[in-house]
Amino acid sequence: MQDTLIDQGLNLMLFGMGTVFVFLTILVFATILMSTLVNRFTPATKVEQAPSQAPPIAANSPLTVSPHIVSAIEKAVAAHRQR
Amino acid sequence: MQDTLIDQGLNLMLFGMGTVFVFLTILVFATILMSTLVNRFTPATKVEQAPSQAPPIAANSPLTVSPHIVSAIEKAVAAHRQR
Amino acid sequence: MQDTLIDQGLNLMLFGMGTVFVFLTILVFATILMSTLVNRFTPATKVEQAPSQAPPIAANSPLTVSPHIVSAIEKAVAAHRQR
Amino acid sequence: MDNVNTLWLSSGLAQVQAGQIFMMMVGLGLLFLAIRKGFEPLLLVPIGFGTLLANIPGAGFELAPIYDAAGHMTSPGGLLYYIYSAGIETGLFPLIIFMGVGAMTDFGPLLANPKTLLLGAAAQVGIFSTVLGAVALGHFGILDFSIRDAASIGIIGGADGPTAIFVTSKLSPELLGAVAVAAYSYMALVPIIQPPIMRAMTTQAEREIKMEQLRTVSGAEKIIFPLTLLLLVAFLLPDAAPLLGMFCFGNLMKECGVVARLSDTTQNALINIVTIFLGLGVGSKMSAEMFLNYETLGILGLGAVAFCIGTAAGVLMAKLMNKFSKHKINPLIGAAGVSAVPMAARVANKVGLEANPQNFLLMHAMGPNVAGVIGSAVAAGVMINLVSGM
Amino acid sequence: MDNVNTLWLSSGLAQVQAGQIFMMMVGLGLLFLAIRKGFEPLLLVPIGFGTLLANIPGAGFELAPIYDAAGHMTSPGGLLYYIYSAGIETGLFPLIIFMGVGAMTDFGPLLANPKTLLLGAAAQVGIFSTVLGAVALGHFGILDFSIRDAASIGIIGGADGPTAIFVTSKLSPELLGAVAVAAYSYMALVPIIQPPIMRAMTTQAEREIKMEQLRTVSGAEKIIFPLTLLLLVAFLLPDAAPLLGMFCFGNLMKECGVVARLSDTTQNALINIVTIFLGLGVGSKMSAEMFLNYETLGILGLGAVAFCIGTAAGVLMAKLMNKFSKHKINPLIGAAGVSAVPMAARVANKVGLEANPQNFLLMHAMGPNVAGVIGSAVAAGVMINLVSGM
Amino acid sequence: MDNVNTLWLSSGLAQVQAGQIFMMMVGLGLLFLAIRKGFEPLLLVPIGFGTLLANIPGAGFELAPIYDAAGHMTSPGGLLYYIYSAGIETGLFPLIIFMGVGAMTDFGPLLANPKTLLLGAAAQVGIFSTVLGAVALGHFGILDFSIRDAASIGIIGGADGPTAIFVTSKLSPELLGAVAVAAYSYMALVPIIQPPIMRAMTTQAEREIKMEQLRTVSGAEKIIFPLTLLLLVAFLLPDAAPLLGMFCFGNLMKECGVVARLSDTTQNALINIVTIFLGLGVGSKMSAEMFLNYETLGILGLGAVAFCIGTAAGVLMAKLMNKFSKHKINPLIGAAGVSAVPMAARVANKVGLEANPQNFLLMHAMGPNVAGVIGSAVAAGVMINLVSGM
Ligand code: NA
Ligand code: NA
Ligand code: NA
């Protein structure tokens, strides 16, 4: 392109900002659609499934500590007690 | 080699499987021999040495947690107590 | 350089050891100067600043354990209690 | 005597140039800001130290290795050369850090109120108006900026370090030092830069708006959202796919709950290792030739403007949305759309509490805050695409 | 208008090919299996996500960097290209993972009952009969398999992911995606594939066999065993030395007790980092050209056959050994010889408990289970050696 | 039958050379020393195992990859080749380890008593007198040592593993195995080598000298010290900047208190990963051609002499300083100037307790101990500089 620098900048502003807004607007609708679909299809199975599915996700944060650390912690706690 | 594909496959099967069996059979004998030798030569020194040698190995799993984590755990435990 | 190997070695000894001594001697004086300056300029603000500046440094070792491990520890401790 | 001469000639004192001394002072200044003032220390400590190392006269930290005709290495390269060429020139380090940031991000507040994505979009106005400012300076011959430089400078307004480094290393590597320093410095200055603008753009009544409590978001939504985002990126804006792809990957590892050990390493050992080397590598571009010029002053000035405009645009967008929606948004959370996670959200919360001590905006502000990360990654992708074709 | 055109031409929608969409669905399917069905998630989450990334139209994740004549980089490569060429083409990632697996392996049960090594040997029949199946398909022109392809497909029967990736990346890199997916999927399916075969091949009385308690193994034996294995490999089968060498090194670090901090990092940060990148790198070979063809169906089919034959061979070998030994072996533990550690050992335990609720086979099955790892590494070595000479 | 032949020809037994068997015994010997005798196991376990791997006949661990004319890889290289060329030839691994060592070092005792830096200087006499010994052996044709070799051998006397590896990989890579083994072995032998020398050089009265309690050192001093050291290095001896720069960087990360997560990773995951690969990479230079010759015996002998002279020089320097100062120094802490942190400081403490059970020298000895690290890094820098010009 042989535009001037200003033209290039204006183009970048126009098309860049436009893309950002269009993309995030589409994402708003996609997210709303996704949440609606997910919550429509999971509630049916929710009553039974919720407890079975919740744990793996809820269990996430404790699981990020590897098991041998947890066992080491328990040992440390036990050791600490005996003092 | 200008064998047919089938010949190559048969060769691979024959020599491959043969090698696996021969190697693992040798390993069985080597392992038995190794265990016998180890247990023959360590029992003599076992009575005294067992306690001195056991700790570094038994200590393995707690040691895999680095000391500063252990001290942090002890602090956390202490802090938790004081609540 | 077309010195003999011995000459090269003597050169290395002479200039190497000289550099080590000169450098570390300068470092002695630089360190003394640094400590003097630091302790001259911090005492003034020390009374108020000491408490505010000390924690980030004292907090160093506990902080090296990431927060989620600490929380996991607290959970482990709590869990251990309930047994 | 030859040896004394050799030692003297190779000493720093014999080789030092004024620019190097000045840059070492810049490095010390960055360390001071990071350590004493708490300016984004995780990045500015390595960048500041890297600046010191890169400017040691004769140390050769940034030299490439030399090979003879037969391909044998005759002189190994410097540490910073290897770090820069393996991790920054290739784009690997910013992408790995984005994966780690993704693994630390909670999209829950955003999913509970998806329209806050628009606040994250609005705040990117800061990026593009800064581009305009930079091309204006270039056009009128005030400073020597190309369109590639202007895009790299604009991305400072994204308030997102790895994105800024990724874009600048692709478009204007010689500006990398100044852009990274500006990006991290202004991110640290968010609590000082934003509040006056936020107060000026809002009325007391607006600042007191109390938002509805966010709904609970299910685990399934959190798992499917990064995949939704990735697919949208894939089909609409593949140029943003490297950054957002790794971001979504990290987030999926966190949310899916079945690879906790991978997610944990991504958030800790891996991101820490890469952060150290990324910072040192950026430092290697902090040489006097690249940094000590009027362009750097221009970059610092434009970067501050970018943050201000982004903040204002976010607030205005929130006010505009309130005209069309009955679920009112407190316009202060619009300022969090610049990203600078989680600092900008905390600032929104704090300014909100000043107006109404019962009004806790933190969780509401986390939505636009992470939306700002997506928004600037999208802006990065579109700029790389468009600028490469200009 | 040019810019709109540029953006449109670079968008995924304008460039997408049907194969890419199909492969993205494959990637999503792998993620579903990993996350919802628990199929080996540590590998299948990164592989599945890597499949998505590699098939984003126009994103260029798998492109090599481009250099000009002077050796300057004019275009950096994609993330997946760097991962694949640095970690998989060189063989480094599978080897580092094998080191980590070694550091997690306890040879105690194997040392207490060394003849269970033969069960690990027998289960490798699955590998080699699958090779025969593949060459038959190739010979009769049904599918386009060379002897190298046949060896790579056979190794799926080894039920050992890093071994399969190591062999396939050396012999048939274009099959890497299909082979890795098959290997990890069937490893996850072990609890479904194996029990019917195990029940069909054994009588109730055989399944009820109670094995003697394993003797205690001393620490010294555990330290010397990996060295013994390494020396045997060194002198008899150096082609297996890369895999088994790193495996023994990891195990020695664990057992020797004096380098606990190295062993700990090997089992955690290091193996996690490499697992993430290995998975992504495998995903980079999941392109439509390489994956969407009848050969992939053949690979999936042959892989399943390999698992079944390996399981049966292990059980039969156990029954054969019982004819010659007065210390009876419960033939169910023979099925654990396919490796798939520790899943196959747990399956043997579970099927054993069905027959006799007092009969705990888990520790007995760990012996053939780790023997299977050794067995398939040996098979890998011998195949690489023989096939390279054909 | 061809296949049997292929397998036989590729077996270790058919290819093995006497030198390889001998080197494998050396590797096993190193493992024995590391595991049973506790000789610096963190390095000697990987070095010993690397020695085994590098000497497996036909396994090709140390082979370079082969490319065809079009630049395609026709044969991937061996694991140890990649480790050596990426991490040791470039100097990266020793530098990263030095960063980790810096992050583990407490300069407090040194700052409380800065003149103990001179003890760290004096102990480097061991390095340079060993250089003289090596050139004498070379000059008189007894052993084949160049000036580069002599410098590499001398650095063993620095009692600092990464420094020795850094210097040797730059000046005499073919001596790397012998030098690294000697350095780590003698560091492990410090409790045996040093005490007789320390007792011989001191009177009972000197050993009983009780030193004043060390003053408290402020956090600010600890933060500014690594920067002071770096600036001095930058201006006086840039050749020492790579080693000391990374050392100071690690120390600053530790002391500044604002990047605790980076410092933690540097001290744990990162240094552990690099230690494993550094050890394996050093092992790759433990081939029969490079190790099994009289030069190795010379290196081992000279290395022991270096430790002895360094110990003696440190003690003598302390006695000399006592002539000029009214704050008396217990000369035993001079022996800690060889570095070998923290072993040498503990030895000084132990010998001191023998003389006076109330006299705790440990903290006093930590000053010269870390001074010895600085001293040998300075010596390394000056030797690389001077030798390169000879
Ligand atoms: Na942003
Ligand atoms: Na197997
Ligand atoms: Na030293």
Side-chain angles (χ1 to χ4, degrees):
Chain A
M1 239 185 250
Q2 53 279 71
D3 298 343
T4 67
L5 195 53
I6 290 281
D7 287 342
Q8 292 181 333
L10 282 171
N11 267 327
L12 202 54
M13 166 113 200
L14 198 66
F15 293 101
M17 204 59 222
T19 305
V20 169
F21 258 111
V22 169
F23 184 87
L24 289 189
T25 305
I26 295 173
L27 184 58
V28 170
F29 289 108
T31 304
I32 292 171
L33 180 68
M34 183 275 288
S35 286
T36 312
L37 290 176
V38 167
N39 291 326
R40 175 169 308 162
F41 291 112
T42 42
T45 49
K46 213 174 193 173
V47 186
E48 314 119 86
Q49 203 168 0
S52 78
Q53 199 192 336
I57 289 150
N60 194 355
S61 55
L63 264 178
T64 50
V65 179
S66 69
H68 83 277
I69 290 199
V70 169
S71 81
I73 289 165
E74 292 178 1
K75 278 176 203 159
V77 171
H80 194 269
R81 288 243 156 146
Q82 291 171 359
R83 285 189 207 160
Chain B
M1 237 186 253
Q2 52 280 73
D3 297 342
T4 66
L5 196 52
I6 289 280
D7 287 341
Q8 291 181 332
L10 283 170
N11 267 325
L12 202 54
M13 166 113 202
L14 198 66
F15 292 101
M17 204 59 223
T19 305
V20 169
F21 259 112
V22 168
F23 184 87
L24 288 188
T25 305
I26 295 174
L27 184 58
V28 171
F29 289 109
T31 304
I32 292 171
L33 180 68
M34 181 277 286
S35 286
T36 312
L37 290 177
V38 167
N39 291 325
R40 175 169 308 162
F41 291 111
T42 43
T45 51
K46 212 175 195 173
V47 186
E48 315 119 85
Q49 202 168 358
S52 77
Q53 200 192 335
I57 288 151
N60 194 354
S61 55
L63 264 178
T64 49
V65 179
S66 69
H68 83 278
I69 290 199
V70 168
S71 82
I73 289 165
E74 292 178 1
K75 278 175 205 161
V77 171
H80 194 269
R81 290 249 155 141
Q82 290 172 359
R83 286 189 205 162
Chain C
M1 235 183 252
Q2 53 279 71
D3 298 343
T4 68
L5 196 53
I6 290 280
D7 287 341
Q8 292 182 331
L10 282 171
N11 267 326
L12 202 53
M13 165 112 202
L14 199 64
F15 293 100
M17 205 57 223
T19 306
V20 169
F21 259 112
V22 169
F23 184 87
L24 289 188
T25 306
I26 295 174
L27 184 58
V28 171
F29 289 109
T31 304
I32 292 170
L33 180 68
M34 182 276 287
S35 285
T36 313
L37 290 177
V38 167
N39 291 326
R40 174 170 309 161
F41 290 111
T42 42
T45 50
K46 213 174 193 173
V47 186
E48 315 119 86
Q49 202 168 1
S52 77
Q53 198 192 339
I57 289 149
N60 194 356
S61 55
L63 264 179
T64 50
V65 179
S66 70
H68 83 277
I69 290 199
V70 168
S71 82
I73 289 165
E74 292 177 1
K75 278 176 204 161
V77 171
H80 195 269
R81 289 249 155 137
Q82 290 171 358
R83 286 190 204 161
Chain D
M1 245 28 270
D2 274 2
N3 281 319
V4 169
N5 203 29
T6 303
L7 282 173
W8 165 247
L9 288 178
S10 67
S11 80
L13 286 176
Q15 302 180 61
V16 75
Q17 297 155 351
Q20 290 171 323
I21 291 182
F22 197 93
M23 288 310 297
M24 292 181 95
M25 287 165 62
V26 170
L28 290 174
L30 291 174
L31 289 173
F32 177 82
L33 290 177
I35 296 173
R36 283 301 291 269
K37 300 293 174 194
F39 273 35
E40 296 283 329
L42 293 176
L43 262 294
L44 287 187
V45 166
I47 291 177
F49 209 92
T51 305
L52 291 179
L53 294 181
N55 287 284
I56 295 178
F61 273 98
E62 73 299 334
L63 295 182
I66 301 169
Y67 297 91
D68 62 16
H72 281 285
M73 186 189 280
T74 56
S75 160
L79 179 75
L80 297 183
Y81 168 81
Y82 288 115
I83 292 174
Y84 184 82
S85 60
I88 300 184
E89 199 173 15
T90 60
L92 291 181
F93 286 170
L95 292 178
I96 294 172
I97 289 196
F98 235 60
M99 175 171 73
V101 171
M104 291 170 172
T105 295
D106 180 6
F107 279 121
L110 182 68
L111 288 168
N113 195 2
K115 70 184 177 197
T116 56
L117 278 163
L118 297 179
L119 301 174
Q124 311 314 318
V125 169
I127 293 181
F128 292 101
S129 45
T130 307
V131 170
L132 268 196
V135 297
L137 289 173
H139 181 76
F140 296 112
I142 301 168
L143 292 171
D144 182 19
F145 289 143
S146 68
I147 187 70
R148 298 171 81 93
D149 297 339
S152 302
I153 296 165
I155 201 71
I156 297 172
D160 194 278
T163 302
I165 292 171
F166 187 78
V167 170
T168 310
S169 66
K170 282 200 185 313
L171 297 182
S172 304
E174 74 287 356
L175 299 186
L176 184 61
V179 167
V181 163
Y184 284 105
S185 299
Y186 292 130
M187 282 163 65
L189 287 173
V190 151
I192 293 166
I193 294 175
Q194 288 198 319
I197 300 169
M198 293 158 75
R199 289 192 204 102
M201 315 276 306
T202 51
T203 65
Q204 172 75 14
E206 285 170 336
R207 290 199 291 278
E208 284 178 4
I209 292 177
K210 218 162 169 170
M211 293 179 65
E212 299 164 33
Q213 178 143 18
L214 292 173
R215 71 172 178 90
T216 313
V217 173
S218 73
E221 284 172 85
K222 288 190 179 181
I223 293 175
I224 296 174
F225 178 73
L227 295 171
T228 308
L229 174 54
L230 180 76
L231 292 178
L232 272 188
V233 168
F235 288 114
L236 298 181
L237 199 67
D239 294 288
L243 281 170
L244 283 175
M246 294 309 282
F247 189 68
C248 291
F249 179 48
N251 191 249
L252 181 68
M253 285 200 287
K254 173 189 172 232
E255 298 295 354
C256 73
V258 292
V259 293
R261 59 180 291 159
L262 303 186
S263 164
D264 181 45
T265 295
T266 305
Q267 293 176 48
N268 290 288
L270 182 53
I271 198 172
N272 290 344
I273 292 171
V274 174
T275 299
I276 293 170
F277 291 127
L278 179 73
L280 289 176
V282 168
S284 76
K285 291 284 154 179
M286 297 284 283
S287 65
E289 311 91 78
M290 296 186 197
F291 195 85
L292 290 186
N293 47 45
Y294 291 109
E295 277 69 31
T296 296
L297 291 181
I299 290 169
L300 291 172
L302 288 165
V305 171
F307 266 67
C308 296
I309 296 180
T311 302
V315 173
L316 286 178
M317 183 69 183
K319 292 171 72 166
L320 181 69
M321 285 166 67
N322 278 347
K323 302 238 186 271
F324 298 96
S325 162
K326 64 173 192 286
H327 300 290
K328 296 299 178 210
I329 289 173
N330 187 314
L332 292 175
I333 71 168
V338 296
S339 42
V341 185
M343 190 77 90
R346 285 192 200 141
V347 167
N349 187 55
K350 186 159 161 274
V351 178
L353 286 175
E354 286 169 16
N356 174 353
Q358 306 303 320
N359 199 356
F360 295 96
L361 295 173
L362 187 64
M363 290 315 286
H364 297 283
M366 288 309 297
N369 213 190
V370 299
V373 177
I374 299 174
S376 41
V378 169
V382 75
M383 289 209 299
I384 290 172
N385 178 348
L386 290 176
V387 165
S388 305
M390 282 177 179
Chain E
M1 249 25 270
D2 275 3
N3 281 318
V4 169
N5 203 28
T6 303
L7 282 173
W8 165 248
L9 287 178
S10 68
S11 79
L13 286 175
Q15 303 180 59
V16 75
Q17 297 156 351
Q20 290 171 322
I21 290 182
F22 198 93
M23 288 311 297
M24 291 181 97
M25 287 164 63
V26 170
L28 290 173
L30 292 174
L31 289 174
F32 177 81
L33 291 176
I35 296 173
R36 283 300 292 267
K37 301 294 174 192
F39 273 35
E40 296 282 330
L42 293 176
L43 262 295
L44 287 188
V45 167
I47 291 177
F49 209 92
T51 305
L52 291 179
L53 295 180
N55 287 283
I56 295 178
F61 273 99
E62 73 300 335
L63 295 182
I66 301 169
Y67 297 91
D68 63 15
H72 281 287
M73 185 188 282
T74 57
S75 159
L79 179 75
L80 297 183
Y81 168 81
Y82 288 115
I83 292 174
Y84 184 82
S85 60
I88 300 184
E89 198 173 17
T90 60
L92 292 181
F93 286 171
L95 293 177
I96 293 171
I97 289 195
F98 235 60
M99 176 171 75
V101 171
M104 291 169 172
T105 296
D106 179 7
F107 280 122
L110 182 68
L111 288 167
N113 195 2
K115 71 185 176 196
T116 56
L117 278 164
L118 297 179
L119 301 174
Q124 311 315 318
V125 169
I127 293 180
F128 292 102
S129 43
T130 307
V131 170
L132 266 197
V135 297
L137 289 174
H139 181 76
F140 295 113
I142 301 169
L143 293 170
D144 181 20
F145 289 143
S146 69
I147 187 70
R148 298 172 81 94
D149 297 339
S152 301
I153 296 166
I155 200 72
I156 297 171
D160 194 278
T163 302
I165 293 171
F166 187 77
V167 169
T168 310
S169 66
K170 282 199 185 317
L171 297 181
S172 303
E174 73 287 356
L175 298 186
L176 184 61
V179 167
V181 164
Y184 284 104
S185 299
Y186 291 131
M187 282 163 67
L189 287 173
V190 149
I192 292 166
I193 295 176
Q194 288 198 320
I197 301 169
M198 293 158 75
R199 289 192 203 101
M201 313 279 303
T202 51
T203 65
Q204 172 75 13
E206 285 170 336
R207 290 198 292 277
E208 285 179 4
I209 292 176
K210 215 160 172 172
M211 294 179 65
E212 299 165 32
Q213 178 142 20
L214 292 173
R215 72 173 177 89
T216 313
V217 173
S218 72
E221 283 172 87
K222 288 189 178 180
I223 294 175
I224 296 174
F225 178 73
L227 294 170
T228 307
L229 174 54
L230 179 76
L231 292 179
L232 272 188
V233 168
F235 289 115
L236 298 180
L237 198 67
D239 295 287
L243 281 170
L244 284 175
M246 293 310 281
F247 188 69
C248 291
F249 179 47
N251 191 249
L252 181 69
M253 284 200 286
K254 173 189 172 230
E255 298 295 355
C256 73
V258 292
V259 292
R261 59 180 290 160
L262 303 187
S263 164
D264 181 45
T265 295
T266 305
Q267 292 176 48
N268 290 288
L270 182 54
I271 198 173
N272 289 346
I273 291 171
V274 174
T275 299
I276 292 170
F277 291 127
L278 180 73
L280 289 177
V282 168
S284 77
K285 290 285 154 180
M286 297 284 283
S287 65
E289 312 90 77
M290 295 185 197
F291 195 83
L292 289 187
N293 47 45
Y294 291 110
E295 277 69 31
T296 296
L297 290 180
I299 290 170
L300 291 172
L302 288 165
V305 171
F307 266 67
C308 296
I309 296 180
T311 302
V315 174
L316 287 177
M317 184 68 184
K319 292 171 74 166
L320 181 68
M321 285 166 67
N322 279 347
K323 301 236 186 273
F324 297 96
S325 162
K326 63 173 192 289
H327 300 292
K328 295 300 177 208
I329 289 173
N330 187 314
L332 293 175
I333 72 169
V338 295
S339 41
V341 184
M343 191 77 90
R346 285 192 200 142
V347 167
N349 188 54
K350 185 160 161 271
V351 178
L353 286 175
E354 287 169 15
N356 175 354
Q358 306 303 319
N359 200 357
F360 295 94
L361 294 174
L362 187 63
M363 290 315 286
H364 297 285
M366 288 307 298
N369 213 191
V370 300
V373 177
I374 299 174
S376 41
V378 168
V382 76
M383 289 209 297
I384 290 173
N385 178 351
L386 288 177
V387 166
S388 306
M390 280 178 178
Chain F
M1 252 19 282
D2 274 2
N3 281 319
V4 169
N5 203 29
T6 303
L7 282 173
W8 164 248
L9 287 179
S10 68
S11 80
L13 286 174
Q15 302 180 60
V16 74
Q17 297 156 350
Q20 290 171 322
I21 291 182
F22 197 92
M23 287 311 296
M24 291 181 96
M25 288 166 62
V26 170
L28 290 173
L30 292 174
L31 289 174
F32 177 81
L33 290 177
I35 296 173
R36 284 300 292 267
K37 300 294 174 194
F39 272 37
E40 296 282 330
L42 292 176
L43 262 295
L44 286 187
V45 167
I47 291 177
F49 209 92
T51 305
L52 291 179
L53 294 181
N55 288 283
I56 295 178
F61 273 100
E62 73 299 336
L63 294 182
I66 301 169
Y67 297 90
D68 62 16
H72 281 286
M73 186 189 280
T74 57
S75 158
L79 179 74
L80 298 182
Y81 167 82
Y82 288 114
I83 292 174
Y84 184 82
S85 61
I88 300 184
E89 199 174 13
T90 61
L92 292 182
F93 286 170
L95 292 178
I96 293 171
I97 289 196
F98 235 59
M99 176 171 73
V101 171
M104 291 169 173
T105 295
D106 179 7
F107 280 121
L110 182 69
L111 288 168
N113 196 1
K115 71 184 177 197
T116 56
L117 277 165
L118 296 179
L119 301 174
Q124 311 314 318
V125 169
I127 292 180
F128 292 101
S129 45
T130 307
V131 170
L132 267 197
V135 297
L137 289 173
H139 181 76
F140 295 114
I142 301 170
L143 292 171
D144 181 19
F145 289 144
S146 68
I147 186 68
R148 298 172 81 92
D149 297 339
S152 301
I153 296 166
I155 201 72
I156 297 171
D160 193 277
T163 302
I165 292 171
F166 186 79
V167 169
T168 311
S169 66
K170 282 199 184 317
L171 297 181
S172 304
E174 74 287 356
L175 298 186
L176 184 61
V179 168
V181 163
Y184 284 105
S185 300
Y186 292 130
M187 281 162 67
L189 287 173
V190 150
I192 293 167
I193 295 176
Q194 287 198 320
I197 300 168
M198 293 158 76
R199 290 191 204 101
M201 313 278 303
T202 51
T203 65
Q204 173 73 15
E206 285 170 336
R207 290 198 292 277
E208 285 178 5
I209 292 176
K210 216 161 172 171
M211 293 177 67
E212 299 164 32
Q213 178 143 18
L214 292 173
R215 72 171 176 90
T216 313
V217 173
S218 72
E221 284 173 86
K222 287 189 179 181
I223 294 175
I224 297 174
F225 178 73
L227 294 171
T228 308
L229 174 54
L230 180 76
L231 292 178
L232 272 187
V233 169
F235 289 114
L236 298 180
L237 199 67
D239 294 287
L243 281 170
L244 284 175
M246 293 309 281
F247 188 69
C248 290
F249 178 47
N251 191 250
L252 181 68
M253 284 200 287
K254 172 188 173 231
E255 298 294 356
C256 74
V258 291
V259 293
R261 57 180 293 159
L262 303 186
S263 165
D264 180 46
T265 295
T266 306
Q267 293 176 47
N268 290 288
L270 182 54
I271 198 173
N272 290 345
I273 292 171
V274 174
T275 299
I276 292 170
F277 291 126
L278 179 72
L280 289 176
V282 168
S284 77
K285 291 283 156 181
M286 297 285 282
S287 65
E289 311 90 78
M290 296 185 197
F291 197 85
L292 290 186
N293 47 44
Y294 291 110
E295 277 70 30
T296 296
L297 290 180
I299 290 169
L300 291 172
L302 288 165
V305 171
F307 266 67
C308 296
I309 296 180
T311 303
V315 173
L316 286 178
M317 183 69 184
K319 293 171 74 165
L320 181 69
M321 284 165 68
N322 278 348
K323 300 237 187 272
F324 298 95
S325 162
K326 65 173 190 287
H327 300 290
K328 294 302 178 209
I329 289 174
N330 188 315
L332 292 175
I333 72 168
V338 295
S339 41
V341 184
M343 191 76 91
R346 285 192 200 140
V347 167
N349 188 53
K350 187 160 162 271
V351 178
L353 286 175
E354 286 169 14
N356 175 353
Q358 305 303 319
N359 200 356
F360 296 95
L361 295 174
L362 187 62
M363 288 316 285
H364 298 284
M366 287 310 295
N369 213 191
V370 300
V373 177
I374 299 173
S376 40
V378 169
V382 76
M383 289 209 297
I384 290 173
N385 178 349
L386 288 176
V387 166
S388 305
M390 279 177 180

